[in-house]
Amino acid sequence: AGDHANNDMAGAEEDSWASQFTASGNFDSVDCQINGLGGIAAVQDVYVAHTKAAIDGEALKAGEGTAAEAAAGDLEDGTYLADFKSDGDMFHVNEANKGKGDLTVKGGEMTIHISLPTKRVQNLFIGKSADAAKDGAELLKPTVDKVTYDDGKTEEVHGFDIPVPALDTEFDVALIGEKGKWYDHKVTVSNPTKK
């Protein structure tokens, strides 16, 4: 807080706001909080969100591509090995792949291919389960992947190509299993390493 807050608002002079409020007799007490708005977490969040929107908007205005390309950041087109983290035990990468999937970047669009532990997951949906169950929802269909474990054994499991809106940012993925029930999960893709 600067001179205006310290003197004009909270100062001891007769014409400060604090002095005038006290002199009015309309208040039981007058307490001045000398903090800038920037010290409030909610205000900081607004600044961060506006800054991100401005950066993304400038990237688009400068002809640097689509919003998806802005989300892809500095990754050039190609294939990367990336971490895939989920919030649940039911939905995770097969242990043979040690928590990683193949991230493909092409024209600013990112997709990660992950192999699951089983064939029980029938479809995925990018978003919440409530929307996945609606007519016309675009469901991701599985591929059949062959994984090889450390002991040399192999197994066929379901895999999925999942669009990634942004790295290091949690997003919603719903899944439906053999029993026909949808489950919501939060996932994050991070730490891409060029293959």
Side-chain angles (χ1 to χ4, degrees), residues 3 84 91 121 134 178:
D3 178 72
F84 181 88
F91 182 47
V121 175
K134 293 179 181 175
E178 295 171 321

Side-chain angles (χ1 to χ4, degrees), residues 3-153:
D3 178 72
H4 175 62
N6 286 305
N7 295 316
D8 300 335
M9 295 171 65
E13 298 85 9
E14 282 184 19
D15 62 345
S16 75
W17 289 11
S19 295
Q20 291 179 57
F21 288 158
T22 302
S24 74
N26 293 325
F27 304 96
D28 293 335
S29 65
V30 176
D31 179 34
C32 298
Q33 305 282 324
I34 305 297
N35 294 317
L37 287 176
I40 300 171
V43 174
Q44 294 169 1
D45 292 343
V46 170
Y47 272 91
V48 170
H50 286 188
T51 303
K52 182 182 182 324
I55 290 170
D56 290 349
E58 287 302 312
L60 297 178
K61 279 199 315 195
E64 294 176 19
T66 64
E69 287 172 319
D74 295 330
L75 294 180
E76 60 185 41
D77 285 3
T79 306
Y80 299 78
L81 200 59
D83 293 333
F84 181 88
K85 295 204 167 128
S86 169
D87 64 356
D89 294 334
M90 189 164 113
F91 182 47
H92 58 88
V93 173
N94 190 292
E95 66 182 73
N97 295 341
K98 301 181 177 30
K100 300 201 179 278
D102 290 325
L103 180 71
T104 301
V105 179
K106 186 172 182 182
E109 302 282 334
M110 296 185 291
T111 304
I112 191 165
H113 182 85
I114 59 165
S115 299
L116 300 180
T118 70
K119 288 185 175 179
R120 290 186 187 147
V121 175
Q122 302 301 303
N123 293 108
L124 296 182
F125 175 76
I126 305 306
K128 300 267 191 182
S129 59
D131 294 321
K134 293 179 181 175
D135 287 341
E138 292 185 35
L139 305 183
L140 302 180
K141 298 187 182 331
T143 59
V144 176
D145 296 353
K146 187 175 181 180
V147 295
T148 304
Y149 297 99
D150 289 341
D151 63 5
K153 289 184 182 176

